[in-house]
Amino acid sequence: MEGLNPNKVKILSNGCHDPILEDGGELNFDSTTHLLHDYMKILDERATMLLGYPHNIYCDEYVALAPLLRYHLNNFGDPFTENNYGMHSRHFEVGVLDWFSKLWEIEKDQYWGYVTHCGTEGNLHGILLGREQFPDGILYASGESHYSVLKAARMYKMECEVIGTLLTGEMDYHDLRSKLLLNKNKPAILHLNIGTTFKGGIDNLDVVIETLKECGYSQDKFYIHCDAALCGLILPFLKNAPKITFKKPIGSVSVSGHKFLGCPMPCGIQIARKKHVDILSRNIEYIASIDATISGSRGGHAPIFLWYSLSKKCHTTLQDDAKRCIQNARYLKDSLRNSGISAMLNEHSITVVFERPLEQEFIHKWQLSCERDMTHVVVMPGVTTQMLDNFVIESGGKDIEVAVMTKEHGLNQLEEAEIDAIVAEIETEKAAAEAAQKGPAERNLVLLKFILNYP
């Protein structure tokens, strides 16, 4: 598939700035419809090349909920408190919260939560709960934490200790220990990553709890918020994976609803111990409810979309999705390494980290997220091995030394024109084999070495 035409995007963007009017000043709905149709064609094309961000882009299952867009739904106030406003979806919201409370093992009468607008709001709320419990507490977070953590520290004017990290992105527990001991006179508010944003590193909750204990912090002297934005719906369905559970002394957990689960609008789920939320709750006469949320008004459509998805996807389906993504992530890591590209994949992670490509056009086409000399691919449920094959083949650009392995001819070095011809021939063979319901073609393209000048 060819890349997205920049001129097409530019024309479309320019056309969106002003309403499209007829000569008489009335809206030209034919032109408006045409503009939106072109926009959806662009989205269809971009969706096939979204690899750098953790979004489950295929939302066809939610089309059945389109009639709900006729209604304005607002879930302001407490999800568990009835008020006089009837255009809400709080019952669906509570159903979603109950589902996650069971997943993370906390009793119904012991938890409180709500559907947030995004993962950042979950972090803001979790850290706020820690700050309210310990006004003089110090926030501890690793340098690989989401940018919203330092944003929260600035907003709440909290003292913050940034903890070093290991190569995997996981917290450096020796550094944590030294900083905890240095500040023993103040409570600790810890933000733990259950999958870091860039490398997918998982902070070890058990090691952190043991470190707190060894440093003399009793359970009434620390608060732990777990940021499980992506992995919160992966780890519970993998064997021998780290466990997120309120049976351990954590205060809150947040997860994104638009990532692994695939809700079409950004949203998240925040679950916390009810005893920590009470200090934050305020009675608001205007809405005839109490409120302990960050945002106040909250969209009522997202809870229904989340409820609908969880109702259709049983635990077995979620487990299959998680296993398939793990398998495909390993497939990509191996493909990159076989192509001569250094690549890293943490255990229980779907985020493959590797060397940053030189060409900005390639980065833009595949919508890669980059940091310094690294980039990554997040292998979400909608990502197929065919997409990954195309990505690896294209990632070499023109600065690639390639070999093709065949049963007949062994290993041979090829020029660029020959490479293009072989790639096209292999794709034709694959298509013919699939059409005949046979296995893939026997000949495999082996990319042996990338010669790229990385910044």
Side-chain angles (χ1 to χ4, degrees):
M1 177 180 291
E2 295 182 359
L4 187 65
N5 186 341
N7 293 326
K8 184 177 180 182
V9 178
K10 185 176 180 180
I11 293 171
L12 178 59
S13 177
N14 291 339
C16 288
H17 291 166
D18 300 301
I20 301 171
L21 302 178
E22 300 279 15
D23 293 338
E26 296 182 355
L27 280 174
N28 183 339
F29 288 105
D30 288 339
S31 297
T32 303
T33 301
H34 180 72
L35 184 67
L36 292 173
H37 177 73
D38 285 350
Y39 175 58
M40 286 188 283
K41 287 174 63 177
I42 289 177
L43 292 179
D44 285 339
E45 186 172 1
R46 294 299 270 162
T48 64
M49 293 174 286
L50 176 56
L51 291 183
Y53 293 88
H55 297 153
N56 189 344
I57 52 175
Y58 294 105
C59 305
D60 291 348
E61 67 182 62
Y62 298 106
V63 172
L65 303 180
L68 287 169
L69 297 178
R70 296 169 50 208
Y71 304 102
H72 172 91
L73 301 177
N74 192 327
N75 285 11
F76 57 72
D78 187 276
F80 304 92
T81 303
E82 292 292 336
N83 59 27
N84 299 327
Y85 184 76
M87 302 294 288
H88 63 81
S89 64
R90 287 195 303 272
H91 300 302
F92 291 94
E93 182 174 18
V94 171
V96 171
L97 299 174
D98 283 346
W99 190 93
F100 279 94
S101 71
K102 293 177 182 177
L103 184 69
W104 295 329
E105 300 180 317
I106 183 170
E107 295 298 323
K108 186 176 177 66
D109 62 347
Q110 298 295 313
Y111 91 87
W112 184 90
Y114 73 105
V115 173
T116 64
H117 290 98
C118 57
T120 289
E121 186 176 350
N123 286 337
L124 291 176
H125 193 270
I127 293 171
L128 179 60
L129 290 176
R131 201 284 305 270
E132 289 297 291
Q133 186 174 358
F134 301 119
D136 62 337
I138 296 176
L139 176 63
Y140 296 85
S142 83
E144 295 273 353
S145 297
H146 190 262
Y147 63 86
S148 61
V149 178
L150 292 183
K151 179 191 292 186
R154 292 193 301 270
M155 289 174 62
Y156 303 147
K157 300 188 183 302
M158 299 173 67
E159 184 179 352
C160 182
E161 289 280 6
V162 177
I163 309 301
T165 58
L166 306 177
L167 181 63
T168 59
E170 184 178 355
M171 180 180 288
D172 184 337
Y173 307 109
H174 294 292
D175 191 34
L176 174 65
R177 176 189 296 272
S178 65
K179 289 175 178 173
L180 285 172
L181 290 172
L182 191 64
N183 301 296
K184 277 190 66 175
N185 61 322
K186 291 186 176 181
I189 302 166
L190 296 102
H191 174 277
L192 300 189
N193 296 301
I194 314 301
T196 57
T197 306
F198 198 80
K199 295 180 180 177
I202 299 171
D203 295 335
N204 191 314
L205 177 58
D206 293 332
V207 172
V208 169
I209 293 171
E210 185 62 27
T211 301
L212 285 163
K213 181 180 178 181
E214 292 174 355
C215 291
Y217 288 78
S218 57
Q219 289 190 22
D220 62 345
K221 292 298 181 182
F222 68 82
Y223 182 95
I224 297 176
H225 171 69
C226 297
D227 179 3
L230 175 60
C231 293
L233 276 166
I234 299 175
L235 297 182
F237 304 101
L238 300 177
K239 290 184 178 179
N240 303 318
K243 194 171 185 179
I244 308 168
T245 174
F246 278 90
K247 291 183 177 180
K248 300 175 182 179
I250 62 176
S252 51
V253 181
S254 59
V255 64
S256 294
H258 59 284
K259 292 181 180 175
F260 198 78
L261 197 56
C263 187
M265 66 277 291
C267 61
I269 297 91
Q270 166 77 345
I271 299 288
R273 294 187 188 275
K274 191 175 182 180
K275 64 180 182 180
H276 296 322
V277 178
D278 290 341
I279 193 174
L280 202 62
S281 297
R282 296 291 184 273
N283 184 57
I284 311 297
E285 183 178 8
Y286 173 72
I287 62 173
S289 180
I290 58 175
D291 183 52
T293 67
I294 294 289
S295 53
S297 285
R298 295 175 289 108
H301 290 90
I304 301 177
F305 280 62
L306 292 171
W307 172 87
Y308 183 76
S309 181
L310 291 172
S311 297
K312 292 191 67 177
K313 294 180 179 180
C314 61
H315 278 235
T316 301
T317 302
L318 290 169
Q319 185 177 56
D320 290 343
D321 285 348
K323 288 181 177 179
R324 185 174 63 257
C325 290
I326 291 288
Q327 181 179 357
N328 287 347
R330 291 171 180 168
Y331 175 83
L332 174 61
K333 179 203 67 175
D334 292 341
S335 297
L336 289 169
R337 287 183 176 179
N338 290 338
S339 304
I341 299 177
S342 299
M344 181 191 80
L345 174 64
N346 280 308
E347 189 177 9
H348 308 305
S349 174
I350 60 173
T351 302
V352 182
V353 184
F354 53 98
E355 303 170 59
R356 178 175 182 162
L358 178 63
E359 295 185 359
Q360 184 59 36
E361 182 179 350
F362 177 81
I363 293 172
H364 178 73
K365 174 180 179 179
W366 290 98
Q367 302 166 70
L368 300 179
S369 173
C370 302
E371 285 189 2
R372 299 180 299 279
D373 60 347
M374 298 179 294
T375 188
H376 72 195
V377 164
V378 187
V379 184
M380 299 297 287
V383 175
T384 65
T385 54
Q386 182 63 61
M387 290 174 64
L388 298 177
D389 286 342
N390 292 340
F391 174 79
V392 172
I393 291 171
E394 292 183 21
S395 62
K398 296 181 180 180
D399 302 310
I400 181 174
E401 181 182 314
V402 181
V404 170
M405 180 77 74
T406 67
K407 286 187 175 182
E408 297 83 7
H409 304 295
L411 189 65
N412 298 295
Q413 297 296 324
L414 297 175
E415 298 296 329
E416 183 180 346
E418 295 173 288
I419 295 168
D420 292 339
I422 284 290
V423 170
E425 187 177 348
I426 290 173
E427 292 303 318
T428 301
E429 290 179 9
K430 285 184 178 180
E434 291 172 359
Q437 295 184 342
K438 297 178 181 178
E442 290 185 342
R443 181 167 52 180
N444 294 315
L445 184 67
V446 183
L447 308 179
L448 290 183
K449 184 177 181 182
F450 279 72
I451 305 175
L452 291 172
N453 297 316
Y454 294 101

